[in-house]
Amino acid sequence: MIVLLADKPEQASMSTILKPDNEEIFPKWFVKRRNYVAPNSTVFPDITVFSGDIIDLLQKLNSFTSLKYNWDSYGAIPPSLMSIRNARRFLFKNANVSLPFYFVSPGINGEVMIELNKDQKAAEIYFNPDGSEELLLYENNNCILEKEDVSSYTDLIEFFNE
Amino acid sequence: MSESLPQITIEDNDRLLRRVLFLHPDFIKPDGTPSSSSFSLKTGEKGLSVDIERLTTYDRSILDKSRFRLYFLKASFTTQLGLTNQHDPLPDNYAHSLITGNFSRSICRLLASSAKRINFP
């Protein structure tokens, strides 16, 4: 979020003007608060409406862009921008869906993995550098479903809510 | 592998050490288990690099205490999964070994969830 100063009240949104109580002490500036990202955008959604857990995952995900070659000491390559972008898009799209988001980590081949976890159930979603996705569902660490074509997350939602 | 370095046989009770990143970004989940990714193979990699505990020290194996933590797997556990443990000494790391076999996503998760943390440092 950024704050803009407007010298005329009509330049600011009425709902966000912070009018100074004492105009002799405070300068005659009107403050317009504006979201840094476009509201209602699926590309740049307003993250202030997301839960703290989602924001934490998004922040961690963004930090992956700074990883260099061999970041894990075993020769891992950095996550690709496509992997990060697709993982971010998944979080944006499903932030308000009833899913137990748990963990995000980079993979060693340029992918990004988002894990969901609830009781003995877990799901791993891999966002690969070539744009493909993989979904794995686990119960007690036993893999019960593995899909390479993840065009919808119906299985995922049903799995955690059944 | 260096031809001149003698190989040993990995015993069932040997502990195999693997470094796991715990800072920037952390690979360790809130429940203390490492991410599956930290037990995955890079494309083209022959096997998962580990160190045989009895042939090294924690200080040497961890490389950078500020960024990594050590986890271990029992050699008997990896063989139960159908994997093979092979001593693969390197000139700068005699303890180096490889766990080879079929590293599916689910195997990687099993390895990660079964790894135990070494209380070091």
Side-chain angles (χ1 to χ4, degrees), chain A residues 28-142:
Chain A
K28 283 189 176 181
W29 283 355
F30 294 86
V31 177
K32 177 182 182 181
R33 197 184 71 171
R34 192 171 79 179
N35 288 331
Y36 189 67
V37 293
N40 302 322
S41 167
T42 55
V43 180
F44 303 107
D46 180 359
I47 64 167
T48 59
V49 301
F50 294 162
S51 70
D53 289 346
I54 294 288
I55 292 173
D56 287 347
L57 292 179
L58 285 167
Q59 285 175 339
K60 189 175 173 188
L61 190 56
N62 288 339
S63 74
F64 296 170
T65 56
S66 62
L67 293 175
K68 308 284 186 224
Y69 174 77
N70 196 33
W71 53 267
D72 71 340
S73 82
Y74 291 110
I77 60 173
S80 74
L81 291 179
M82 176 173 281
S83 303
I84 294 172
R85 189 193 66 189
N86 288 344
R88 187 188 294 135
R89 187 175 291 168
F90 172 79
L91 287 175
F92 285 158
K93 191 176 170 186
N94 296 287
N96 296 313
V97 176
S98 179
L99 287 173
F101 292 101
Y102 183 60
F103 193 70
V104 59
S105 74
I108 58 172
N109 291 305
E111 71 273 36
V112 168
M113 188 271 288
I114 291 178
E115 179 171 340
L116 299 92
N117 198 310
K118 181 184 174 187
D119 302 326
Q120 299 305 313
K121 294 180 177 180
E124 291 180 341
I125 307 167
Y126 289 86
F127 300 90
N128 296 319
D130 63 0
S132 66
E133 296 172 7
E134 296 170 68
L135 169 67
L136 291 96
L137 302 182
Y138 297 92
E139 276 195 49
N140 297 312
N141 282 330
N142 296 314

Side-chain angles (χ1 to χ4, degrees), chain A residues 60 64 67 71-75 102-103 105-106 108-109 111 115 122 124 126 128 134 136 138 141 143, chain B residues 18-19 21 24-31 35-37 40-43 49 67-68 105-106 109 113:
Chain A
K60 189 175 173 188
F64 296 170
L67 293 175
W71 53 267
D72 71 340
S73 82
Y74 291 110
Y102 183 60
F103 193 70
S105 74
I108 58 172
N109 291 305
E111 71 273 36
E115 179 171 340
E124 291 180 341
Y126 289 86
N128 296 319
E134 296 170 68
L136 291 96
Y138 297 92
N141 282 330
C143 186
Chain B
R18 174 90 177 165
R19 284 183 298 281
L21 202 63
H24 310 305
D26 72 277
F27 253 28
I28 299 171
K29 300 180 207 171
D31 66 1
S35 163
S36 307
S37 305
S40 302
L41 290 190
K42 204 170 67 166
T43 303
S49 286
R67 295 181 60 222
F68 298 104
R105 298 269 195 215
S106 53
R109 183 178 178 86
S113 62

